Amino acid sequence: MEHSQRSTQGRADDRRAFDVRSAVEAATWAPSVHNTQPWSFSTDGDRISLRADSDRRLTVADPDGREMLISCGAALFTLRVAVRDQGHEPEVRLLPDPDRPHLLADLHLGLRIPGKSDDNSHLYEQIRRRRTHRGGFKPEPVDESLLALLRHEAQREGATFRVLTDTHTRNAVAALTAAAEHMHHLNPAYAGELARWAPAPGSVRREGVTESAYPRETPPTDPHFAGRDFARGHGWGAEPAILDWLEEPVVGVACTLSTKRGTPQDWLHAGQALQRVLLRATQHGDLAAAFHTQALEVPALREVIRTQFCAGDHPQMVLRLGTAGDKFESVRRPVDQVLTHES
């Protein structure tokens, strides 16, 4: 009897270890600024801890770690979806230890759920389908009902999703993005940081923005939201696919994601809201997202966006959504590089 109990416990431990590893592997496919993947995970029994990896913070563009924590928040939401798909109800504590600010969350696997939630399973199926796009979108409208759903999804995570419907507002935010991009280029330290996370072709690194993740040429849109110069004038990038539509690429739906406050906890909420929105957009519209956070990295410009375009809320993300013609490839670090066992 005792041997049988040990065998049963051993199988349960093995299954739990498998579930944890699978959930963390899914979480690594969350979006992150410059694909820095600024997270690490550890496990002890049924607990998974998420930590920020400060060595991967953008010290020039993101000195406060705001974008780092938004990235980690996106990974946390993905972890929640993966754990729930395995039949557990996750229990999450954000910032559980004030003396350890890099410990962002403790997630316990929680009780077993009888059966799977179809709604959560649909989200889980999008984790590897979700993709970042850099360029214009096909001239296909995004359904208003989907945009209403995305607003609701952001609210569920404590954030506000706004669509920039007014022409002058879109033009102004696009202009602020371009201004911030020019200001970044005036800073040699920024160029060095960008070079660190945008390796030259042929790199075997499983991080950063590789040449397969952005187009060699980006056609302008009206208004034009400036992208990052990952190729740094070298002409790197993926060859565009043969266009299967006749019209010129368009901006898509320009949006902001904001929170009432601007604390680390809010940044984590913003990241979770972002990933929830992106997975829903992938599920219901096969939409891709283009991110434009340059203006939010310049305090004066971020303040303009807060007061003029976010009703006083703290802007955490500027993005565009639409149907992409090209599918760019991304890379991720192996799970063994981000997961450790404490016991």
Side-chain angles (χ1 to χ4, degrees):
M1 176 68 71
E2 184 178 346
H3 174 73
S4 176
Q5 289 176 339
R6 286 200 301 268
S7 297
T8 301
Q9 183 62 46
R11 288 194 297 270
D13 290 344
D14 290 344
R15 178 53 194 252
R16 182 176 58 198
F18 177 82
D19 285 351
V20 166
R21 183 182 178 86
S22 297
V24 169
E25 185 174 19
T28 65
W29 285 93
S32 61
V33 57
H34 293 7
N35 194 26
T36 51
Q37 305 169 55
W39 45 62
S40 66
F41 302 85
S42 62
T43 178
D44 184 1
D46 67 350
R47 188 193 75 221
I48 306 173
S49 295
L50 167 65
R51 291 175 174 81
D53 185 344
S54 58
D55 288 340
R56 294 173 173 272
R57 176 173 58 86
L58 304 178
T59 56
V60 179
D62 186 32
D64 296 328
R66 183 185 63 84
E67 292 181 272
M68 177 178 69
L69 263 63
I70 291 174
S71 303
C72 289
L76 177 60
F77 180 78
T78 313
L79 185 68
R80 288 166 51 197
V81 170
V83 165
R84 190 171 285 114
D85 188 72
Q86 294 167 348
H88 302 278
E89 184 56 49
E91 301 169 0
V92 178
R93 289 181 61 205
L94 292 182
L95 302 172
D97 187 345
D99 293 330
R100 294 188 290 170
H102 284 93
L103 175 58
L104 303 182
D106 279 337
L107 181 148
H108 290 266
L109 298 187
L111 299 176
R112 276 282 180 182
I113 305 171
K116 288 187 178 182
S117 160
D118 289 342
D119 183 63
N120 187 79
S121 293
H122 291 321
L123 284 178
Y124 181 77
E125 291 167 359
Q126 313 312 313
I127 291 172
R128 292 196 181 221
R129 292 189 64 238
R130 179 214 62 81
R131 61 189 183 276
T132 300
H133 182 70
R134 297 175 175 90
F137 292 110
K138 290 185 178 183
E140 297 177 0
V142 178
D143 195 276
E144 286 293 334
S145 63
L146 175 53
L147 295 176
L149 173 63
L150 300 184
R151 292 188 189 96
H152 174 70
E153 294 291 81
Q155 289 174 353
R156 293 179 63 179
E157 300 297 333
T160 299
F161 175 84
R162 289 181 174 88
V163 176
L164 307 181
T165 56
D166 179 74
T167 299
H168 295 297
T169 298
R170 282 198 305 274
N171 289 346
V173 175
L176 290 171
T177 303
E181 184 67 13
H182 286 300
M183 293 174 70
H184 280 328
H185 281 286
L186 294 174
N187 185 353
Y190 174 84
E193 184 169 79
L194 192 67
R196 176 190 176 192
W197 293 106
S203 172
V204 296
R205 290 166 55 188
R206 305 297 296 173
E207 61 193 359
V209 185
T210 62
E211 79 277 9
S212 63
Y214 56 87
R216 180 166 297 180
E217 295 182 8
T218 303
T221 58
D222 185 22
H224 184 63
F225 280 75
R228 311 271 190 178
D229 183 17
F230 291 113
R232 305 185 298 284
H234 291 290
W236 302 332
E239 291 288 352
I242 297 176
L243 301 183
D244 57 359
W245 71 94
L246 299 178
E247 299 90 340
E248 291 294 324
V250 299
V251 169
V253 178
C255 327
T256 62
L257 190 72
S258 60
T259 54
K260 287 296 183 184
R261 300 179 302 166
T263 67
Q265 187 168 24
D266 292 291
W267 301 339
L268 288 171
H269 283 302
Q272 292 176 89
L274 174 66
Q275 182 68 333
R276 181 183 280 275
V277 164
L278 296 177
L279 295 182
R280 283 293 186 218
T282 305
Q283 174 192 350
H284 288 285
D286 196 24
L287 302 182
F291 301 110
H292 300 279
T293 57
Q294 297 99 312
L296 303 184
E297 296 164 357
V298 180
L301 300 184
R302 184 170 69 241
E303 182 65 11
V304 171
I305 294 176
R306 184 184 75 83
T307 57
Q308 299 298 314
F309 307 120
C310 288
D313 287 354
H314 291 260
Q316 307 297 355
M317 184 63 62
V318 175
L319 66 155
R320 296 181 295 115
L321 296 173
T323 303
D326 298 306
K327 294 185 178 180
F328 299 107
E329 299 178 2
S330 188
V331 294
R332 291 297 187 276
R333 290 186 289 161
V335 66
D336 289 332
Q337 292 186 12
V338 300
L339 176 62
T340 58
H341 302 276
E342 295 184 3
S343 60

